[in-house]
Amino acid sequence: KNGLSLAENQQPINLMEELDVSNYLVFKKDNEDGPDVKGGHPDALIIHATRVQKNSDAYGEAFITTFRTFISPLELIQKLSHRYTVYHCQLNDAKQKAAKESFSLLVRVVNDLTAPDLTERLLVILMNFKYQLVSAGHLNMAKLLRVKLIEKVLIFKQKATLTMQTPSSHAVTTSLPSLLDLKSAEIAEQMTLLDAELFQKIEIPEVLIWAQEQCEERSPNLTRFTEHFNKMSYWARTQILSQTDSKDREKHVIKFIKIMKHLRKINNYNSYLALLSALDSAPIRRLEWHKTITEGLKEYCALIDSSSSFRAYRQALADTNPPCIPYIGLVLQDLTFVHIGNPDLLPEGSTNFSKRWQQYHIVVNMKRFKKGCYPFKKNEKIIGFFENFETYLDEDAMWQISEDIKPRGTRKNNVN
């Protein structure tokens, strides 16, 4: 079946009250690649998701991951609770089954709700639905929903509390070590712990929403993670440029290269790229460096070479097992390309689920890596040295120092 044109089929019925919605789905042809369901009416896509409730089912996983790109969590919960209400009291076995399937998907949706999804109205609707279940005598279902609901209410209250809190001050440290005093492997581990803490808080919907809207309010954890990346990069540049002696600058560059080597070993591509972007930044790259440094940097840059669509990095990531912190910038870039390059609707007006399928496959690795956990313990001495990467020069100041070291127009010579 290739589905009916929505423009030609202006049905007066509520699809959420229909058992068979196959005519409102667009299936792939025998000679086509991609998912079996290419698209369809949003309600038909929802109903299809209720029928494939196994964790191993790719469509169900893709739907749960991407539904926010075409329907809000509030609307989806309202539709599923309506379908359950219509069918649960009917004697027909197929309708009873449809009611149970709708409830199962609703619980999965509630379980997947993130802090930005949670509003007072949404929680009230869920609370009322829970009371409806109790009134109907479906106590096991009500208990299951109540457990999930309590979790989300706590997150909602926590969100409200966080917005009222003022940033806490950093712990006072009597004397901070220098970068060269600390072991490269230990620095890499502590960078990774800070990265991992922020990475674990990122919800997959935030990433999908960012590719569409670039809305910081709806992607708060992602925003904090990318800000952390930028601060680390500027901090590393500042560490190098703040050295007045050329030999000290060179020692700091070598130190950062050693740290990057350890970051690569422990699969922290995020900090790896933050430091690489620092060493490869124009104010630092234009200075004169020993040939071993410039040659070494070329090797490190090869991992993230963009000329072949980041093939080396993608292969490295595919071969990596958790724990791992991927470079979030490429995830966002891929999602943005998919969003811009694919219409939200198919030619006949139905929701383009093939687009959501592509989005799902981009974030699959993120979901996989979020399950990993690093075994390192926090080292307060090194964490204190980082000072949350808040101490850095602005772009103009970096350029001024770089040009004081090597005035413009001076020919660059690599030191042998």
Side-chain angles (χ1 to χ4, degrees):
K1 295 175 184 179
N2 291 320
L4 296 180
S5 167
L6 299 186
E8 295 170 357
N9 188 48
Q10 298 294 336
Q11 72 284 357
I13 59 174
N14 182 347
L15 277 186
M16 295 308 295
E17 298 177 8
E18 294 295 307
L19 284 175
D20 184 8
V21 293
S22 55
N23 283 339
Y24 301 95
L25 293 171
V26 181
F27 296 91
K28 74 170 183 179
K29 296 173 184 175
D30 292 337
N31 60 345
E32 289 181 327
D33 295 325
D36 291 338
V37 177
K38 292 173 59 181
H41 188 288
D43 289 359
L45 294 173
I46 295 167
I47 293 166
H48 189 64
T50 67
R51 293 173 178 164
V52 286
Q53 293 275 345
K54 297 174 184 173
N55 287 332
S56 60
D57 180 80
Y59 176 87
E61 285 294 308
F63 178 88
I64 284 290
T65 303
T66 65
F67 72 81
R68 291 170 186 79
T69 63
F70 62 90
I71 187 171
S72 72
L74 177 63
E75 289 176 287
L76 179 54
I77 286 168
Q78 286 176 317
K79 286 178 180 290
L80 288 169
S81 60
H82 174 77
R83 185 172 173 83
Y84 175 84
T85 303
V86 168
Y87 283 150
H88 83 92
C89 57
Q90 299 192 27
L91 298 176
N92 183 296
D93 287 346
K95 291 180 179 179
Q96 284 278 326
K97 184 183 178 186
K100 290 177 182 176
E101 289 172 341
S102 298
F103 177 78
S104 295
L105 182 59
L106 186 145
V107 170
R108 275 186 81 185
V109 170
V110 173
N111 186 58
D112 195 62
L113 291 174
T114 65
D117 296 326
L118 299 173
T119 63
E120 194 168 332
R121 185 183 172 206
L122 184 147
L123 293 173
V124 167
I125 286 171
L126 286 171
M127 201 78 72
N128 290 337
F129 182 59
K130 184 198 77 173
Y131 290 138
Q132 179 189 326
L133 291 169
V134 172
S135 300
H138 299 159
L139 301 184
N140 286 335
M141 287 181 167
K143 185 178 179 181
L144 180 59
L145 182 59
R146 181 177 177 272
V147 170
K148 301 295 180 187
L149 192 50
I150 289 172
E151 291 174 6
K152 301 308 169 181
V153 169
L154 290 174
I155 292 171
F156 179 70
K157 288 180 178 178
Q158 186 181 32
K159 180 175 74 167
T161 306
L162 286 172
T163 56
M164 297 170 64
Q165 287 179 348
T166 53
S168 58
S169 57
H170 302 305
V172 177
T173 315
T174 49
S175 60
L176 292 174
S178 76
L179 183 76
L180 303 181
D181 293 332
L182 302 169
K183 292 182 179 179
S184 302
E186 291 179 357
I187 293 173
E189 288 174 4
Q190 297 308 304
M191 284 180 166
T192 299
L193 284 180
L194 294 177
D195 268 1
E197 187 178 346
L198 293 169
F199 177 65
Q200 290 295 339
K201 290 178 181 176
I202 299 173
E203 304 285 0
I204 298 299
E206 294 185 60
V207 183
L208 293 167
I209 288 164
W210 179 264
Q212 286 184 261
E213 302 178 12
Q214 284 81 50
C215 177
E216 292 187 3
E217 273 187 22
R218 296 189 67 191
S219 306
N221 298 304
L222 175 63
T223 300
R224 281 190 280 273
F225 190 66
T226 54
E227 285 175 351
H228 179 77
F229 176 96
N230 293 332
K231 287 195 297 184
M232 184 188 289
S233 180
Y234 275 91
W235 171 84
R237 300 173 206 194
T238 302
Q239 289 284 320
I240 296 165
L241 291 171
S242 296
Q243 309 305 316
T244 53
D245 183 78
S246 62
K247 289 184 179 178
D248 287 335
R249 285 194 297 274
E250 197 157 275
K251 286 177 184 177
H252 276 68
V253 170
I254 292 169
K255 185 71 170 178
F256 279 122
I257 290 174
K258 288 179 180 178
I259 295 167
M260 284 169 58
K261 184 179 179 181
H262 288 287
L263 288 168
R264 175 67 183 86
K265 280 183 182 176
I266 57 180
N267 301 328
N268 182 355
Y269 295 102
N270 191 67
S271 287
Y272 179 97
L273 264 296
L275 297 186
L276 182 59
S277 69
L279 300 185
D280 198 41
S281 65
I284 290 176
R285 189 178 62 241
R286 66 183 291 275
L287 301 179
E288 294 179 357
W289 301 108
H290 195 280
K291 190 176 180 181
T292 55
I293 290 176
T294 55
E295 292 299 319
L297 275 178
K298 282 181 186 176
E299 183 183 334
Y300 282 92
C301 285
L303 178 67
I304 201 72
D305 179 20
S306 61
S307 62
S308 56
S309 188
F310 302 95
R311 185 186 301 161
Y313 169 71
R314 292 183 196 278
Q315 186 58 53
L317 206 60
D319 295 338
T320 298
N321 292 317
C324 170
I325 304 173
Y327 171 50
I328 202 74
L330 187 57
V331 176
L332 296 175
Q333 179 183 298
D334 287 347
L335 286 171
T336 301
F337 283 162
V338 167
H339 177 60
I340 293 172
N342 296 271
D344 281 329
L345 302 176
L346 294 174
E348 73 279 2
S350 61
T351 299
N352 182 0
F353 198 76
S354 293
K355 175 177 180 175
R356 278 75 192 183
W357 190 255
Q358 291 180 61
Q359 292 169 328
Y360 168 67
H361 277 289
I362 291 169
V363 298
V364 157
N365 264 338
M366 257 194 88
K367 293 183 83 169
R368 182 166 68 94
F369 293 141
K370 275 170 65 66
K371 295 175 182 176
C373 185
Y374 283 97
F376 314 131
K377 292 182 179 179
K378 272 199 172 182
N379 183 319
E380 295 300 335
K381 179 183 176 183
I382 298 176
I383 297 291
F385 164 68
F386 292 151
E387 295 183 301
N388 203 27
F389 304 112
E390 298 280 4
T391 308
Y392 56 83
L393 301 166
D394 63 29
E395 196 82 43
D396 290 340
M398 288 187 203
W399 270 108
Q400 186 60 56
I401 292 173
S402 180
E403 289 176 6
D404 287 345
I405 295 169
K406 179 175 175 257
R408 283 184 186 269
T410 308
R411 188 176 174 183
K412 180 176 178 179
N413 293 311
N414 288 334
V415 182
N416 292 318

